[in-house]
Amino acid sequence: MARMIRYCYHISEVNAVVSGKVFGIIACCLGKKWRLKPSKPKNAERSISWFKRFQYDKERDSPSDARNVLLVIATLIAAVTFQAGVNPPGGVWQDDGDKENPHVAGRAIYASQISPYYVFLLSNTLALSASILVITSLTYRFPFHFEIWVATASMMITYASAIFAVTPRTSVRFRYLLITAVVPFVTRFLIQMLKKFRKSKKRAWSHKLSACDQEVDGQTGQRV
């Protein structure tokens, strides 16, 4: 009887130890799985996820989709800026002024405020020129790309003639507008040249490294 009691007591101890170890392992696994992460503000997470969701992703978005989106945006900017240049804010004077309020019919009313009108013309011309650069770049080597180039060049000439017609000669120096229109094209050209220069430098360094490796291998082969 005493042996049976000892045997049962020993079995109960073993079961308690085993159950304790199993419970510890389960608790450890659950603790790793459900470990609390540092909480972030919900608004910040929403703003970050919303911002990342609409970013360009190479694995998700194809180049044709990106090109179509850029074409739509560039076309919209070109249309808005062209219309703003041809029909300036405030309209044009309908008649000639007098000595107290001198102005010429057909000139922009907004041009009477020289500094704001200057900023408007420079910014509008820069936006139009940049959008035309995007359009011509994205349609390069496409069907009728030469006709697109002719159309965009004609649109720029029309814009320039409208600006010259509605802007008083004393308000704006037109050479600054010409420089502003050329800025996007020159900037893109310089960026492309810089990329080519970097690629050529990398190739030269790789050739030098390969030549050095070959020399080292030749010297080690001769020693052996």
Side-chain angles (χ1 to χ4, degrees):
M1 188 67 180
R3 289 181 179 179
M4 288 294 294
I5 293 171
R6 289 177 183 175
Y7 180 73
C8 292
Y9 180 73
H10 180 69
I11 289 175
S12 63
E13 286 183 349
V14 171
N15 290 333
V17 172
V18 172
S19 62
K21 290 183 177 179
V22 171
F23 180 76
I25 293 171
I26 293 173
C28 183
C29 293
L30 291 176
K32 289 181 178 179
K33 185 176 181 181
W34 295 341
R35 186 176 293 171
L36 295 176
K37 297 181 180 179
S39 61
K40 294 181 179 179
K42 293 184 178 180
N43 295 330
E45 288 183 356
R46 288 179 182 176
S47 62
I48 292 172
S49 62
W50 176 84
F51 184 71
K52 289 183 178 180
R53 187 180 301 172
F54 295 101
Q55 284 183 341
Y56 175 72
D57 189 1
K58 292 182 180 180
E59 298 179 357
R60 181 189 60 192
D61 302 323
S62 63
S64 61
D65 294 337
R67 182 180 61 84
N68 293 334
V69 171
L70 290 174
L71 274 176
V72 170
I73 296 172
T75 305
L76 179 62
I77 294 173
V80 171
T81 52
F82 180 83
Q83 187 66 23
V86 174
N87 296 319
V92 296
W93 295 105
Q94 300 299 321
D95 54 358
D96 295 333
D98 50 12
K99 294 181 179 181
E100 295 180 358
N101 188 16
H103 57 262
V104 180
R107 298 298 171 87
I109 300 174
Y110 192 22
S112 58
Q113 302 178 12
I114 297 177
S115 298
Y117 186 68
Y118 218 122
V119 174
F120 163 75
L121 275 185
L122 292 177
S123 302
N124 195 67
T125 304
L126 182 62
L128 178 62
S129 180
S131 61
I132 286 177
L133 173 63
V134 174
I135 293 171
T136 54
S137 299
L138 294 177
T139 56
Y140 181 64
R141 290 186 178 179
F142 270 65
F144 301 103
H145 72 275
F146 177 74
E147 286 78 3
I148 293 174
W149 279 58
V150 173
T152 52
S154 301
M155 186 173 69
M156 286 294 291
I157 294 172
T158 304
Y159 174 81
S161 64
I163 293 297
F164 293 156
V166 300
T167 302
R169 302 293 183 270
T170 57
S171 299
V172 177
R173 295 180 179 178
F174 294 107
R175 61 176 178 270
Y176 293 154
L177 290 178
L178 181 60
I179 293 172
T180 303
V182 175
V183 164
F185 295 91
V186 175
T187 304
R188 175 52 55 183
F189 175 75
L190 293 176
I191 290 172
Q192 293 298 118
M193 294 300 294
L194 183 61
K195 287 182 179 180
K196 289 183 180 180
F197 179 72
R198 286 182 176 179
K199 286 182 180 179
S200 61
K201 260 198 166 183
K202 287 182 179 179
R203 289 177 184 174
W205 275 107
S206 62
H207 287 313
K208 285 183 179 180
L209 290 175
S210 61
C212 292
D213 292 338
Q214 290 178 0
E215 290 180 0
V216 171
D217 293 338
Q219 290 177 0
T220 54
Q222 290 178 359
R223 290 177 182 176
V224 173

